[in-house]
Amino acid sequence: MAAAQNKVKLFENVLNQEIISLEEIKKLCFSGCPEEASIRATCWKLLLNYIPPETADWKSHLKKQRESYAKFIDELVQNSVENDNDSSTKDHPLNTNPQSDWNQYFKDNEMLCQIDRDCRRLSPGLAFYQYETKYPYGKIFKSNHETNPLRKRLAGIALSAEEIHTNKVGTFQKNKEIKKKAPEQLSDGEEYHWEVVERILFVYTKLNKGQGYVQGMNEVIGPLYYTFATDPDQSGQENAEADTFWCFMNLMSEVRDNFIKSLDESKVGITHKMQQVMEVLEKIDTPLYIYLTKNLEVKPQYFCFRWITVLLTQEFDLPNVVRIWDSLLSHEKRFDFLIYICCAMLKLIRGDILKKDFTAALKTLQVRLY
Amino acid sequence: MAAGPYNYSYIFKYIIIGDMGVGKSCLLHQFTEKKFMADCPHTIGVEFGTRIIEVAGQKIKLQIWDTAGQERFRAVTRSYYRGAAGALMVYDITRRTTYNHLSSWLTDARNLTNPNTVIFLIGNKSDLDAQRDVTYDEAKQFAEENGLMFLECSAKTGENVEDAFLDTAKKIYKNIQDGSLDLNAAESGVQHKPSNGPRGANLGGESSGNKDPCSC
């Protein structure tokens, strides 16, 4: 107990400085942030370069960033072509011009459906995302819509699919399955945490068109949103959406190469990182390395592709993931350090692996939650 | 050869391929656990399942590789095809785009496996007949034109799931019996495990199999 309080004190001493020493924060975070106050949320924002070390600038900086995010929402979520009632525009849904706003709108719908499918099944083991947020769309953004426009848009997509279906088969069966899929248990103005994550990803993808949405981004965003949305500080919690967005942007700028297919075989791509895991393993545990690669012919892409791509979010419970991220975000080599964590994970189960044949070893390697 | 519950004479390697969200992991889960997993998270890279089945009195261990469906992962998932004896190619009967992409999946399956690999086409989500977007007949015709086996299944209710996995195994077994699948050829995807017999390559070095630590 005393030790825990002591730890909080240590953090507070550093965080209460006018200009925070990032070096000291990194040192402290590396052995884990305490749950108290909003220490973790604040530290992560510092570590991800979202807020500056000068504490006096925080207020104005956060205000500016949160306002810019609200502008993105306004432009990309609120004002889509379907809500554009200006009859003077020449654009229309059947416009075949690739530059047409409607053409883009339908392309975005495909991406939105993809994001939607993945966000609904975000961390199924944890109830958090299936709970309502206290700060839904209507409360956070100035808008004449009380409800998240994306929900309406998704419902529209499901509906048009239903219409096509009835035309084709020629019956007028009402479809219950589609209805069930829409988050209708919540009334207008309420929304689930996963819907907030969905909106952040939609905005991120719209702003990073070249990269697009890749499965796994939803997992990477998880620990950030969870940390900010459960921040004991009310203003932090209220602005979790905007803060998560910016921190996610900064985090992705460091790990995005993992998500880009054309870089797979390059020095910065995922294949190289998986090889690094095996190279380090060879040095620190040669017998295990030999058993895996020579005896079993297990390739790193059979197990550590997921570990690296989604930064271990799938291998542990969220509270443990958050703890690992404390170290990962504060280590000076940051994502190179991930390689060593992967090797540590292998070391932990080495005894098990060394006894097993190919099938059983692979199952052990792939099991979630250490 | 000791007779034990975990004894098996062959290992067949399967891969499951197809667009994202068609239910590949759910099919695997239904087959190995006999349960429907409603909130199945999407697959990143590859996941792995096994089950021991019986064909013509022979115990066969299926080693099933469930792959990620999103286009981004294609380059990585291609490395899992090597040495597959069976390929389950899945589309979603309620989403036509997933059916339209079959020819590209088939190209991958043909190019990256051996000529004897049994390819089984599965139209998943047959329980959602009211939302059907691909008819049985057109898929059946596609399968016939391309020499594929075909069934519509439901990972949710379990309908035909067992049959799809078992029929694939029967066909592979038949290919072994009539000699069209050479077990000594590299990458046959089949590993025969008589007490001291020859072994097929590339399934990873399984130990002699008398005691399989995982009782799946």
Side-chain angles (χ1 to χ4, degrees), chain A residues 114 117 121 124 165 168 175 177 213 215 218-219 258 261 264 301 306 357-359 363 366 368, chain B residues 20 39-40 42 44 46-48 50 63 70-72 76 80 95 128 130-131 133 203-204 206:
Chain A
Q114 244 184 58
R117 220 174 284 136
R121 47 184 181 171
H165 154 71
K168 219 177 254 161
N175 201 321
E177 290 294 333
Y213 168 72
Q215 286 187 323
N218 56 331
E219 320 286 0
N258 292 343
K261 192 166 72 169
D264 276 356
Q301 56 262 47
R306 187 177 72 207
D357 64 20
F358 178 85
T359 314
K363 280 191 146 182
Q366 288 206 339
R368 288 164 199 251
Chain B
M20 57 182 275
D39 291 314
C40 165
H42 59 85
I44 293 175
V46 72
E47 297 201 23
F48 201 72
T50 51
Q63 185 190 86
Q70 197 182 23
E71 174 59 28
R72 185 263 169 269
V76 186
Y80 310 131
R95 281 191 295 143
L128 300 179
Q131 275 163 260
D133 205 10
L203 279 168
E206 295 266 350

Side-chain angles (χ1 to χ4, degrees), chain A residues 16-133:
Chain A
N16 288 335
Q17 303 291 319
E18 270 175 44
I19 298 175
I20 294 169
S21 156
L22 281 180
E23 283 319 301
E24 290 195 38
I25 276 297
K26 282 180 185 168
K27 244 186 255 163
L28 287 172
C29 284
F30 188 75
S31 22
C33 293
E35 307 291 329
E36 285 86 354
S38 34
I39 291 176
R40 175 171 284 127
T42 309
C43 288
W44 282 21
K45 285 171 193 171
L46 278 163
L47 293 171
L48 285 165
N49 281 329
Y50 176 51
I51 49 175
E54 297 83 7
T55 39
D57 295 344
W58 285 3
K59 217 173 162 187
S60 63
H61 181 80
L62 285 171
K63 186 164 178 277
K64 200 181 94 208
Q65 295 297 96
R66 288 164 183 171
E67 278 170 6
S68 336
Y69 180 72
K71 255 190 216 133
F72 290 145
I73 290 286
D74 198 44
E75 282 164 32
L76 304 171
V77 176
Q78 185 72 25
N79 288 330
S80 76
V81 61
E82 58 172 345
N83 300 326
D84 187 359
N85 293 326
D86 185 358
S87 55
S88 67
T89 61
K90 293 203 176 82
D91 207 354
H92 54 84
L94 300 179
N95 195 339
T96 51
N97 183 346
Q99 304 297 320
S100 143
D101 286 345
W102 275 102
N103 194 308
Q104 188 58 47
Y105 176 80
F106 290 124
K107 273 202 189 130
D108 290 347
N109 277 354
E110 272 175 47
M111 169 188 90
L112 180 60
C113 284
Q114 244 184 58
I115 296 175
D116 185 62
R117 220 174 284 136
D118 292 341
C119 284
R120 281 169 195 279
R121 47 184 181 171
L122 205 56
S123 307
L126 187 85
F128 172 75
Y129 291 105
Q130 311 300 328
Y131 285 138
E132 270 175 64
T133 165

Side-chain angles (χ1 to χ4, degrees), chain A residues 114 117-118 120-121 124 130 164-165 168-169 173-178 180-181 213-219 257-261 264-265 270-271 274 291 295-297 299 301-303 305-306 309-310 314 355-360 362-363 366 368, chain B residues 8 11 13 20-21 38-50 61-63 65 68-76 78-80 82 94-96 127-133 156 193 202-207 209 211-214 216:
Chain A
Q114 244 184 58
R117 220 174 284 136
D118 292 341
R120 281 169 195 279
R121 47 184 181 171
Q130 311 300 328
I164 292 167
H165 154 71
K168 219 177 254 161
V169 185
Q173 246 172 329
K174 265 286 160 207
N175 201 321
K176 283 175 199 137
E177 290 294 333
I178 291 175
K180 203 186 79 199
K181 275 190 193 163
Y213 168 72
V214 179
Q215 286 187 323
M217 287 181 181
N218 56 331
E219 320 286 0
D257 293 348
N258 292 343
F259 288 91
I260 300 174
K261 192 166 72 169
D264 276 356
E265 302 302 326
I270 183 83
T271 312
M274 293 188 291
Y291 188 72
N295 297 40
L296 299 186
E297 294 178 48
K299 293 193 174 126
Q301 56 262 47
Y302 299 168
F303 59 94
F305 181 82
R306 187 177 72 207
T309 310
V310 297
Q314 297 303 288
K355 275 185 255 156
K356 288 179 172 169
D357 64 20
F358 178 85
T359 314
L362 217 53
K363 280 191 146 182
Q366 288 206 339
R368 288 164 199 251
Chain B
Y8 45 88
I11 300 175
K13 173 176 171 177
M20 57 182 275
D39 291 314
C40 165
H42 59 85
T43 308
I44 293 175
V46 72
E47 297 201 23
F48 201 72
T50 51
K61 181 170 182 172
L62 298 183
Q63 185 190 86
W65 300 60
Q70 197 182 23
E71 174 59 28
R72 185 263 169 269
F73 300 110
R74 280 296 259 282
V76 186
R78 283 192 178 112
S79 68
Y80 310 131
R82 204 167 146 244
T94 72
R95 281 191 295 143
R96 176 155 285 272
D127 53 295
L128 300 179
D129 196 50
Q131 275 163 260
R132 179 186 286 280
D133 205 10
K156 192 171 183 178
K193 309 183 73 179
N202 295 308
L203 279 168
E206 295 266 350
S207 64
K211 243 215 154 83
D212 181 3
C214 78
C216 15

